[in-house]
Amino acid sequence: MWDVEIRGMTSAHAIIAASIFMATVIPVVLVDNFSVYGTHLVWLYSVACSVAVVNIAVFWLLGISPPTKKNTLNYKLSRLIRSCVYFVLSCLFFHAVVVLYGAPLIESALETFSLAVLLSTLTTLRCLCILGPNVQAWIRVFSRDGWVAMSVWDTSLQITSSCSIVGAWFGAFPIPLDWDRPWQVWPISCSLGATGGFLTGLLAAPLWIRWHRKQLTYKLK
Amino acid sequence: MPFTRQIVEEGSSHGFIAKARAPTVTMPRIKALTTGSIPGFIDVVMNLNSPALLEDNLIRQAKDAGKRIVFYGDDTWVRLFPRHFTEHDGTTSFFVSDYTEVDNNVTRHLDSTLKRADWDVLILHYLGLDHIGHISGPHSALIGPKLLEMDDIIKKIHTSLTARESEDAPPDLLVLCSDHGMSETGSHGGSSEPEVSTPLVLISLAFPRKGGAFQPSTVEQVDLAPTLALALALPIPRNSVGRLLPAVVEQAPLREQLRLLHLNGHQLSSLLRDSNPTYQRQDGYELFRVAEKAHGNWMKLYLEGNTSEVLGNLGRKVLKQYLEALQSMSLALSKQLGRYDMYSMIVGMGLILEVLALLLLAMPEALGGAACVDVPLAPACLSLPFCLLGLLACSTHVLMCTSAEANCYFCSLPWPLAFSALLFVAALLCSLAAMAVCVLSLSLTFSLSLSPLSLQSSLDWTLSELDILLLTGTVGQTLSLGASSFIEEEHQTWYFLLNTLCLAVFQDVCRKYFKERRVLGEEREESSLLPSTTDGDPLRPSFSPATELGVSLGAEKWLALTTPLLTLVCCRLLRSLNQTGVQWAHLPDLGHWLNNGEHKVFLSVLAVFSLLLIFLLVQRHCSLVSTIALALGLLGIYSYRAAVGSVLFPWQHTSRSISKGTGEARFVYVFVLGILFTGVKDLLCSQVTAAGGGGHLRSRGLWEVYSGMVLLVALLLRPHNLPTLACCLLVQTLMVQFVWERLRYDAAQITIMHYWFGQAFFYFQGNSNNIATVDISVGFVGLESYVEVPAVILTAFCTYAGPVLWACHLMCYLSSERDRAAGALSHGCYCLAVLRSVPAALYVALTTALRYHLFIWSVFSPKLLYEATHVLIAAAACLIFTAVDHDHRETESDG
């Protein structure tokens, strides 16, 4: 049973990673003058969109998301609306945090917000897909005691989310260097860092779970 | 400057852009102008107190040649060249806020001097423009009139010199130059383009008139010294690395030009021979030899009376060769002159690294319960290795000092001192080895005796996320000092770390208050057992938020949750108050906006608000008398700022005459001293009284000392920086009440957080790792004239206000908490010492390794000065910590 779950997760992660790769390659054909540095925002949104679409497709349609108790249309609709609200709130939250970290308040607000959208896509959206708009479940997963996760998906969520955020955090390091490289422009290094961290998380999560499968006890399973 | 412009563009003159070298501070630059050498960085420290210049220089040469020199202006000159001037009137340059008196002082002599003919050289040093830059920056409205005034003066001198011109005497030369430029913020000291670019205009009727567009070429500032020396027919100063400006002698006959170039080349080549053992392999030296030979051939042809085309061509070729040789030699020399005294550097570095190793080895003991470290220095002194090492070191010293050319600082020390230093190094090394063996054997026996079980448990010793952050942050920050950009932008590192710290603290707080219900229940039971929640203890020295502010538990939870967020917002606002660093320093910031004359009203309102907040936050810890003193002191601060002209009283609409505000500042000093005195008195009393009340009295005394320091900082900081102080106090109060006390961090964690906050506030108040941002006007608050000791102390105190206040707060906080273990204060002191010495020691090693780096003088050296000062201040803080802790222990053992 373990191997089946891990294998399923690995393939899901592979699909997401492939989607990021495609999101980088396909616009080269479709958009004129596309480059990751030059038209950074286009790249950023294409990655965000593809990750969002693939996540929703994989987790929602394939039924990994938590079983809904009520199956009425009304309930589903309210869940959808709540998810959207949560997503927007998380974008605003990330935006605020990035501004507190010293991003210019007005000057490059669009760039900052795009970074916030990317970060939300890499973290919050996956939470919404896997856990649903359920704050209690989020706190359970992300509090320290939550390392006693309930399923492999919870563990994967923890790892990928923290990796993306740490990646973005490290991505801010080269900004003050005086190398005058194109990727030092705000927010390119941070979004590249976040994406890199996310990819690392996708790769690391199955390995980590496999490595620690003796210690991991998914109680309620 | 219309007249000067006209002269430069059309008149008989030569204009250049002279590049100054860092540090662009007055004294080293005057040295560069007169000696032609490149002074070292230590001269920045000496800038405040310049001893006489002993090096060979232009002024001395002129005096020896019987020239009569008259000087008016910056009295740095008078101190550098005592008894060199036949007449002088120095103006002290340290009243930065004055920009009319300093210049009038110079100009008032001008008319009478120009009429007389009893001088050969007249030197004028005008300070007003520099002062305006310091006060209000390069875009100030004051700049225009000042430049016009300077233009008038140049015109006056030029007219008078032209009138003096006679046929038989050689023509006069008017040199217009500057010691340094002005950065975008109006200060100087760094090496940015506007700071190092200075004008150099030579005006004389001997030069041809020119017409049309004029593009100044770029030369070195040191080139002026040899040019002037040759123009005045004086010997070139011995250590000059400058080159003759060829454009200046263009009009002279070829023979004379070659002669002058040869003189310059000869001087440079002999300097090269003195300073470089491999001078013969230098390109420039060989080029010079070749040119000299060609010159000789040319002379032979010339004396033979050859006047053909060949002679002219040959001459021009020799000229070109000379110029190339000069350039190459000058370049080699200016690289060369940064010679390093490796022996002294290694001895010093060895000592520093030993102390660092001592601190690190002492960690298990210092952070243990007793917090007492035993350094086996005495037994080490008796051991055999010590004798051998000591002998070895001493003999090496003798060998080094007798063999090498005696140009070494350590060798110039008196021998007993040098030997005792070396013996100390050896003894420390031996005791270090003993301690290392001790620690190793302890850990080995520990792991052997308790077999795999204990190994397992020691591996299980986990760090929380906060610990990991604190450790990696400290290590990462230290490592980041290896990159020059990270030194220039060090504030970014600290802001970044501080933000992350606040978020980590926020996460901890969230975890505490939003645990799952089951865990929360346990927590409640546990916490009710702990004494920290028992209220109503009358002697309780610590401040419980519930009793202090009268908040319920629910509200307390929300306040605790908002505290880190509020801190984050505060930091973000402070960050936009002062732009520092290099890359983004030119961006507009709130501080500039507030200091603009039009926004005085906002600045006044902000200052009033900050002072009120400071009063409210500080007053809680004080006795009634100190509270009143504090209130009066803060009022005094406002009236001082109003007197100086930076803020307005509501009833005062027209700007009245600006005074120095000495009276008001002294009024505040009285209260500062009063509060400090009460605090110290309480501290001393606490030793006399019994242990019960002693602790309370002691903590009150400490808090009063702290209030006194806050008052002093409030007086010294510029008004637009008062919000920094208010935010600092606000963050401290909130953090203590809702976070540090509630979450029970240990002393080490709290110390690291205090240190980080202190560093961040150092940069929040507008400091950077550049000399230019030190606000020297602070040294004159409440003083009529420049007095060295208080000025230096006040400047250092104000520059390091952030770190000092946070260290002081750490001491107050750690000693006023009763729940803490007895060793908390010494743990804090130890952590502070380690936190300061690790980056400082590694930075010294790093700078030594990077001593041939391109930015060694412009980036690494100023930072080294900052680090050294910071270590001094931290050492003073640690001493006070230890003294207080010592008293504390004595009282406890008495009781």
Side-chain angles (χ1 to χ4, degrees):
Chain A
M1 188 198 88
W2 272 95
D3 284 342
V4 173
E5 276 208 340
I6 294 177
R7 208 167 297 148
M9 193 180 66
T10 314
S11 47
H13 282 185
I15 294 171
I16 297 170
S19 80
I20 292 181
F21 179 69
M22 295 307 282
T24 314
V25 173
I26 291 178
V28 176
V29 186
L30 297 181
V31 184
D32 288 339
N33 297 328
F34 177 84
S35 72
V36 175
Y37 304 149
T39 52
H40 183 69
L41 290 187
V42 175
W43 174 81
L44 194 149
Y45 281 114
S46 102
V47 167
C49 288
S50 68
V51 170
V53 167
V54 171
N55 264 316
I56 291 169
V58 168
F59 295 109
W60 205 30
L61 299 181
L62 297 186
I64 296 164
S65 56
T68 46
K69 285 163 225 151
K70 287 175 250 170
N71 236 343
T72 60
L73 181 71
N74 239 350
Y75 182 71
K76 275 188 175 168
L77 205 66
S78 90
R79 271 175 71 90
L80 188 67
I81 291 171
R82 266 185 27 220
S83 299
C84 290
V85 170
Y86 277 21
F87 184 76
V88 171
L89 281 182
S90 106
C91 288
L92 291 178
F93 170 75
F94 277 117
H95 187 93
V97 169
V98 173
V99 166
L100 286 177
Y101 261 98
L105 187 63
I106 303 157
E107 235 170 74
S108 44
L110 180 66
E111 283 85 351
T112 312
F113 192 73
S114 309
L115 179 66
V117 169
L118 182 71
L119 280 172
S120 306
T121 318
L122 299 184
T123 56
T124 319
L125 192 79
R126 276 171 61 80
C127 291
L128 285 171
C129 288
I130 295 176
L131 302 171
N134 177 357
V135 181
Q136 281 302 320
W138 291 23
I139 291 175
R140 174 179 59 74
V141 171
F142 286 105
S143 68
R144 190 184 297 169
D145 313 309
W147 287 106
V148 192
M150 278 204 204
S151 71
V152 283
W153 292 107
D154 290 3
T155 317
S156 128
L157 205 58
Q158 287 167 0
I159 293 175
T160 49
S161 301
S162 43
C163 278
S164 330
I165 288 174
V166 169
W169 192 77
F170 276 112
F173 279 35
I175 297 178
L177 290 171
D178 57 356
W179 297 343
D180 289 328
R181 295 296 153 88
W183 47 265
Q184 280 179 304
V185 179
W186 175 251
I188 298 181
S189 59
C190 278
S191 50
L192 286 183
T195 317
F198 182 65
L199 287 174
T200 320
L202 289 181
L203 181 71
L207 295 177
W208 195 84
I209 292 171
R210 220 184 137 63
W211 196 258
H212 290 269
R213 67 189 152 171
K214 296 265 162 50
Q215 284 103 334
L216 285 175
T217 47
Y218 294 123
K219 290 184 224 163
L220 302 175
K221 223 31 195 203
Chain B
M1 300 178 83
F3 175 75
T4 316
R5 175 163 212 86
Q6 187 205 342
I7 284 273
V8 168
E9 280 178 353
E10 290 156 26
S12 49
S13 70
H14 288 290
F16 305 97
I17 296 171
K19 289 281 173 200
R21 298 287 184 107
T24 44
V25 188
T26 302
M27 212 266 288
R29 301 291 29 106
I30 293 178
K31 279 193 181 174
L33 283 173
T34 53
T35 65
S37 63
I38 299 171
F41 230 85
I42 196 70
D43 286 333
V44 177
V45 187
M46 299 294 159
N47 190 32
L48 295 169
N49 176 29
S50 35
L53 183 59
L54 298 175
E55 240 177 294
D56 186 14
N57 61 66
L58 211 60
I59 308 291
R60 186 200 289 174
Q61 293 287 1
K63 183 173 177 265
D64 289 350
K67 306 265 188 218
R68 291 156 297 172
I69 312 168
V70 176
F71 173 79
Y72 302 113
D74 190 339
D75 66 351
T76 313
W77 284 80
V78 181
R79 277 177 284 142
L80 277 176
F81 308 106
R83 296 186 301 281
H84 282 63
F85 304 119
T86 51
E87 192 182 319
H88 62 80
D89 181 17
T91 311
T92 180
S93 59
F94 283 98
F95 275 115
V96 179
S97 49
D98 162 38
Y99 53 86
T100 44
E101 267 318 291
V102 280
D103 287 353
N104 289 342
N105 238 356
V106 181
T107 313
R108 65 183 169 161
H109 299 287
L110 194 58
D111 280 328
S112 61
T113 315
L114 284 176
K115 281 197 193 96
R116 302 189 325 238
D118 59 347
W119 49 267
D120 300 302
V121 180
L122 170 66
I123 303 173
L124 304 174
H125 187 148
Y126 281 93
L127 288 166
L129 191 60
D130 183 37
H131 287 191
I132 291 176
H134 280 297
I135 301 167
S136 47
H139 305 296
S140 157
L142 300 168
I143 295 265
K146 180 53 79 180
L147 287 179
L148 275 180
E149 183 192 332
M150 292 296 118
D151 196 43
D152 279 344
I153 288 163
I154 293 165
K155 189 173 183 179
K156 188 188 280 175
I157 299 173
H158 187 255
T159 334
S160 127
L161 288 184
T162 320
R164 271 165 58 122
E165 204 71 33
S166 56
E167 283 301 313
D168 46 343
D172 288 306
L173 173 66
L174 172 59
V175 181
L176 170 66
C177 64
S178 164
D179 47 355
H180 51 72
M182 188 187 289
S183 71
E184 272 302 306
T185 51
S187 58
H188 54 87
S191 51
S192 69
E193 191 61 27
E195 278 167 280
V196 298
S197 306
T198 67
L200 173 59
V201 182
L202 305 171
I203 307 168
S204 171
L205 288 183
F207 300 142
R209 290 183 155 271
K210 54 180 180 261
F214 160 71
Q215 197 64 39
S217 57
T218 305
V219 297
E220 290 284 329
Q221 197 182 32
V222 287
D223 294 347
L224 182 64
T227 309
L228 275 187
L230 292 172
L232 294 171
L234 299 170
I236 301 175
R238 193 172 160 274
N239 289 331
S240 159
V241 299
R243 300 175 279 146
L244 175 68
L245 297 172
V248 176
V249 291
E250 249 168 16
Q251 290 302 301
L254 197 55
R255 181 181 174 184
E256 208 160 312
Q257 284 190 43
L258 290 180
R259 168 79 189 133
L260 294 176
L261 285 172
H262 177 239
L263 280 176
N264 194 188
H266 182 72
Q267 174 261 334
L268 281 179
S269 69
S270 46
L271 182 60
L272 194 65
R273 197 164 50 221
D274 288 348
S275 61
N276 192 344
T278 59
Y279 65 97
Q280 268 152 341
R281 264 176 280 149
Q282 293 281 340
D283 289 347
Y285 192 77
E286 278 170 23
L287 272 174
F288 178 65
R289 285 273 156 260
V290 172
E292 220 173 15
K293 232 170 251 161
H295 187 188
N297 291 339
W298 183 85
M299 277 309 282
K300 217 177 277 167
L301 282 179
Y302 180 81
L303 291 178
E304 281 165 6
N306 194 337
T307 49
S308 68
E309 188 78 2
V310 185
L311 185 72
N313 284 340
L314 186 64
R316 273 190 287 283
K317 200 179 140 206
V318 175
L319 188 76
K320 219 162 141 196
Q321 275 176 337
Y322 265 136
L323 288 179
E324 273 170 19
L326 287 184
Q327 183 175 13
S328 162
M329 281 197 290
S330 171
L331 201 69
L333 276 168
S334 44
K335 271 188 199 150
Q336 171 94 54
L337 283 185
R339 259 188 313 165
Y340 296 98
D341 179 4
M342 275 317 280
Y343 177 54
S344 312
M345 279 163 81
I346 285 173
V347 172
M349 203 165 66
L351 196 58
I352 289 171
L353 290 181
E354 274 184 358
V355 172
L356 178 68
L358 180 72
L359 275 174
L360 292 181
L361 276 179
M363 189 178 280
E365 283 180 78
L367 288 181
C372 196
V373 183
D374 182 33
V375 181
L377 202 60
C381 282
L382 299 174
S383 64
L384 184 65
F386 165 69
C387 296
L388 292 178
L389 268 176
L391 270 179
L392 188 70
C394 290
S395 51
T396 321
H397 181 66
V398 172
L399 198 70
M400 290 299 289
C401 292
T402 47
S403 69
E405 65 271 33
N407 203 0
C408 157
Y409 173 73
F410 196 56
C411 293
S412 65
L413 288 178
W415 287 78
L417 194 67
F419 278 136
S420 49
L422 284 173
L423 288 180
F424 180 68
V425 169
L428 209 56
L429 198 63
C430 290
S431 53
L432 271 180
M435 281 176 78
V437 169
C438 230
V439 169
L440 268 182
S441 63
L442 205 70
S443 58
L444 268 181
T445 47
F446 185 67
S447 57
L448 281 179
S449 61
L450 292 173
S451 66
L453 205 82
S454 77
L455 263 177
Q456 187 65 39
S457 71
S458 68
L459 282 178
D460 274 356
W461 177 62
T462 51
L463 295 161
S464 69
E465 286 99 328
L466 191 74
D467 289 330
I468 295 174
L469 172 69
L470 290 175
L471 289 179
T472 50
T474 309
V475 173
Q477 195 273 328
T478 309
L479 291 180
S480 80
L481 293 180
S484 59
S485 316
F486 278 130
I487 293 179
E488 283 172 347
E489 308 287 333
E490 200 191 342
H491 58 288
Q492 306 277 5
T493 319
W494 284 113
Y495 297 166
F496 197 71
L497 285 178
L498 195 67
N499 264 327
T500 316
L501 175 72
C502 286
L503 286 179
V505 168
F506 180 61
Q507 188 208 13
D508 265 10
V509 176
C510 281
R511 196 171 276 157
K512 179 175 160 60
Y513 287 105
F514 289 117
K515 268 188 181 163
E516 281 177 284
R517 194 156 292 162
R518 182 179 50 80
V519 191
L520 199 67
E522 283 172 14
E523 182 78 5
R524 277 230 179 93
E525 278 169 25
E526 184 194 329
S527 65
S528 66
L529 294 175
L530 281 159
S532 68
T533 44
T534 55
D535 294 330
D537 184 352
L539 290 177
R540 236 177 104 70
S542 63
F543 302 94
S544 162
T547 51
E548 276 277 313
L549 299 179
V551 287
S552 66
L553 238 107
E556 188 198 312
K557 168 179 158 183
W558 291 112
L559 278 172
L561 281 172
T562 45
T563 298
L565 299 180
L566 200 70
T567 311
L568 278 174
V569 173
C570 272
C571 292
R572 183 66 182 86
L573 289 179
L574 290 182
R575 183 190 182 114
S576 44
L577 191 64
N578 286 309
Q579 287 282 1
T580 69
V582 171
Q583 277 192 54
W584 294 281
H586 60 278
L587 293 181
D589 56 19
L590 279 177
H592 271 93
W593 187 81
L594 285 171
N595 277 332
N596 189 331
E598 293 161 25
H599 304 128
K600 232 178 213 179
V601 181
F602 296 98
L603 183 63
S604 310
V605 172
L606 194 66
V608 169
F609 183 72
S610 315
L611 288 175
L612 272 179
L613 195 59
I614 292 170
F615 176 70
L616 288 178
L617 290 171
V618 175
Q619 146 278 332
R620 300 175 313 127
H621 303 305
C622 295
S623 59
L624 185 66
V625 180
S626 321
T627 310
I628 294 169
L630 185 74
L632 287 174
L634 290 174
L635 274 179
I637 290 169
Y638 193 79
S639 49
Y640 167 69
R641 286 296 164 192
V644 175
S646 19
V647 294
L648 292 170
F649 279 123
W651 56 86
Q652 164 203 347
H653 288 294
T654 51
S655 56
R656 56 173 184 176
S657 63
I658 294 169
S659 73
K660 280 174 188 160
T662 322
E664 286 89 345
R666 286 186 180 164
F667 176 75
V668 182
Y669 279 135
V670 169
F671 289 111
V672 171
L673 290 177
I675 296 176
L676 285 179
F677 179 73
T678 343
V680 173
K681 192 197 75 190
D682 279 355
L683 273 180
L684 292 177
C685 278
S686 73
Q687 288 200 54
V688 182
T689 49
H696 181 54
L697 208 57
R698 195 171 68 104
S699 103
R700 206 181 67 187
L702 281 176
W703 282 113
E704 256 165 18
V705 170
Y706 178 67
S707 324
M709 293 178 91
V710 169
L711 190 59
L712 184 57
V713 172
L715 172 66
L716 297 180
L717 281 183
R718 300 254 178 133
H720 76 273
N721 269 335
L722 283 175
T724 321
L725 183 61
C727 281
C728 165
L729 294 171
L730 186 69
V731 168
Q732 283 172 351
T733 314
L734 289 176
M735 278 294 202
V736 165
Q737 302 230 323
F738 300 112
V739 178
W740 288 329
E741 202 143 292
R742 303 282 112 186
L743 295 182
R744 280 186 229 103
Y745 290 128
D746 64 21
Q749 285 171 324
I750 288 190
T751 310
I752 300 181
M753 287 191 216
H754 269 89
Y755 178 73
W756 285 20
F757 269 109
Q759 286 295 309
F761 274 88
F762 175 74
Y763 294 106
F764 280 143
Q765 67 187 75
N767 287 320
S768 71
N769 282 331
N770 190 333
I771 302 284
T773 49
V774 177
D775 184 7
I776 47 168
S777 64
V778 169
F780 299 90
V781 174
L783 297 179
E784 281 291 356
S785 65
Y786 177 68
V787 190
E788 189 178 345
V789 177
V792 168
I793 291 178
L794 286 179
T795 312
F797 182 72
C798 181
T799 310
Y800 285 92
V804 167
L805 277 186
W806 280 92
C808 194
H809 181 265
L810 175 71
M811 178 164 70
C812 297
Y813 172 61
L814 285 183
S815 62
S816 68
E817 268 215 319
R818 243 181 32 160
D819 307 338
R820 296 240 168 245
L825 201 55
S826 27
H827 287 176
C829 175
Y830 171 75
C831 289
L832 197 66
V834 170
L835 279 175
R836 195 75 281 284
S837 46
V838 167
L842 291 184
Y843 188 70
V844 168
L846 203 81
T847 328
T848 314
L850 294 178
R851 64 191 178 281
Y852 294 114
H853 193 282
L854 183 60
F855 294 143
I856 187 75
W857 295 114
S858 56
V859 176
F860 289 98
S861 303
K863 170 72 181 158
L864 193 63
L865 286 182
Y866 272 105
E867 285 284 314
T869 324
H870 198 175
V871 168
L872 268 184
I873 284 172
C878 283
L879 276 182
I880 296 171
F881 264 62
T882 321
V884 168
D885 192 41
H886 190 65
D887 296 350
H888 181 47
R889 295 214 175 161
E890 272 187 355
T891 25
E892 274 194 351
S893 59
D894 287 353

